[in-house]
Structures are given as structure tokens and as C-alpha cells.
Amino acid sequence: MSSSSKRKTTMAKRNRENALRERRLRKQARKEARKLAAAELRESEAGTSVVADEQPEPPEEASPPT
């Protein structure tokens, strides 16, 4: 017979996971901003302009189903 007691995720673990997820999103945003700034610098040095439509979309956050 299997145990009916199931371990539940604690709020502390959920908070740690959320903080990690947020750090990763901020890091990705910084990385994309650096890439965009470098591209703009290259374009400005070449004498052409960067089109605003070429900006990358921010990653969508996976939300739990409601």
C-alpha cells in the first residue's frame, strides 16, 4: 500500500523559484539591450539608421492555468 501523505511545495520554495525566474528574465532583457545597443552603434557608424520595428520581442512569461 502506498503512502497517502504527499509532500507539498512550501511557500519558501515557490518564492525561491519565482525569484530565480525573475532574475533570469532580467538577465535576458539586459542581454537583448546590449545586443540592440551594439547593433545601433554599428548602424550609426555605418551611416544608416536602425528601424524601430527590428527590436526583439520580450519573452512571454509562462503563466499557470487559471
Side-chain angles (χ1 to χ4, degrees), residues 47-64:
T48 60
S49 63
V50 174
V51 178
D53 293 336
E54 294 178 355
Q55 293 180 356
E57 293 289 323
E60 292 190 23
E61 222 176 288
S63 60

Side-chain angles (χ1 to χ4, degrees), residues 14-39:
R14 286 185 178 193
N15 290 337
R16 286 192 305 269
E17 290 171 346
N18 288 336
L20 178 63
R21 191 174 303 116
E22 289 173 4
R23 278 195 307 268
R24 287 178 177 165
L25 287 174
R26 285 192 302 264
K27 183 178 179 180
Q28 184 66 29
R30 283 193 309 266
K31 184 177 179 180
E32 290 175 3
R34 282 194 307 268
K35 283 184 179 180
L36 184 60

